[in-house]
Amino acid sequence: MAGLPAVASASSAALMVKAGRESVNALEATLTLPPGMGVDQLYDGNSALLIWVKRPAYDEASRTISFSGIAPGGFSGEKMILSFSGSFEAEDLSSISFSGVAAFKNDGSGGSAPVTFSVVPFEVARDELPPVPFVLTISSSPAIFEGRRFVSFAAQDKGTGIERYEYATTWLLPPGERDWKPGDSPIPLSRSMLFQNISVRALDRAGNAAEASTAGPYRYPSIGIIITACALLLLRRSLRSRSSPSY
């Protein structure tokens, strides 16, 4: 993020994790901030954790930041997990304590991996790029939504991180601004949604958006049936007009 103008804030910092040579594919922890240190905004963009089980959250009452996430394929060495801005001094960062730390090896064993955390000063850059393009997947499982079909998705953002998702379903035209509703993955599909076009947009904390869409599983067959029915109707009318006697 070098070369980008910085966001104005009192202070900003990044949580770093060092895994050494061990490949880690899952991680969780809670940070406790010292008295007098406050956080205004959390950013999870460009994180080593690509899938959040618990998205980073700040609890003002307990002055804690907690998170848990997964890194498909694993990571090793030193990586950034999250960044934040707030009101604090650089020396406050060394007083942050860690609890509930759990890291798991990326070897299929589920064994624990040794990791160490550090919080360092960090310049939060202005985010002018949309989230990375993503895809929608329609599937079903007896264990989810009573076997109903659902659409799942996961977007990544290399800047400030994903803030929220919105979805819309339409018959023919692209969604209008009033069609969008808040939602998160996975979204169960109603009966009518199976015949519609499904769109999802991911918005990062800077307001940039990326959109993905897919057809419901019955959309194209139903369109084919409608087109065929219309063609048959037109053909029938044409034959009737030809067979009608002229005077």
Side-chain angles (χ1 to χ4, degrees), residues 97-175:
S97 60
F98 303 91
S99 61
V101 176
F104 301 95
K105 296 180 179 179
N106 184 40
D107 60 2
S109 68
S112 297
V115 297
T116 56
F117 287 107
S118 62
V119 183
V120 299
F122 178 77
E123 185 179 57
V124 179
R126 189 178 305 279
D127 185 0
E128 298 179 345
L129 298 176
V132 177
F134 63 103
V135 297
L136 308 182
T137 302
I138 295 178
S139 51
S140 62
S141 168
I144 302 176
F145 302 127
E146 300 179 339
R148 291 167 52 192
R149 285 185 173 88
F150 57 87
V151 60
S152 57
F153 45 88
Q156 305 297 326
D157 184 70
K158 294 184 178 181
T160 52
I162 301 298
E163 181 179 48
R164 69 184 188 276
Y165 293 101
E166 297 175 344
Y167 76 99
T169 56
T170 54
W171 292 101
L172 293 175
L173 299 177

Side-chain angles (χ1 to χ4, degrees), residues 50-212:
L50 301 181
I51 300 175
W52 294 107
V53 177
K54 179 182 180 182
R55 190 173 292 276
Y58 173 61
D59 186 304
E60 186 175 2
S62 61
R63 301 191 316 281
T64 57
I65 299 173
S66 56
F67 69 89
S68 62
I70 299 171
F75 68 86
S76 58
E78 188 173 29
K79 300 291 183 181
M80 187 176 77
I81 300 301
L82 57 88
S83 58
F84 56 89
S85 60
S87 301
F88 51 86
E89 303 297 332
E91 52 265 29
D92 292 329
L93 304 182
S94 60
S95 299
I96 295 175
S97 60
F98 303 91
S99 61
V101 176
F104 301 95
K105 296 180 179 179
N106 184 40
D107 60 2
S109 68
S112 297
V115 297
T116 56
F117 287 107
S118 62
V119 183
V120 299
F122 178 77
E123 185 179 57
V124 179
R126 189 178 305 279
D127 185 0
E128 298 179 345
L129 298 176
V132 177
F134 63 103
V135 297
L136 308 182
T137 302
I138 295 178
S139 51
S140 62
S141 168
I144 302 176
F145 302 127
E146 300 179 339
R148 291 167 52 192
R149 285 185 173 88
F150 57 87
V151 60
S152 57
F153 45 88
Q156 305 297 326
D157 184 70
K158 294 184 178 181
T160 52
I162 301 298
E163 181 179 48
R164 69 184 188 276
Y165 293 101
E166 297 175 344
Y167 76 99
T169 56
T170 54
W171 292 101
L172 293 175
L173 299 177
E177 197 57 37
R178 293 184 178 181
D179 296 321
W180 295 101
K181 295 173 285 188
D184 211 342
S185 180
I187 296 173
L189 301 181
S190 66
R191 184 172 181 83
S192 63
M193 292 167 69
L194 299 176
F195 296 86
Q196 295 178 290
N197 196 60
I198 304 161
S199 300
V200 173
R201 65 182 180 186
L203 297 96
D204 66 19
R205 289 182 172 85
N208 305 306
E211 187 177 324

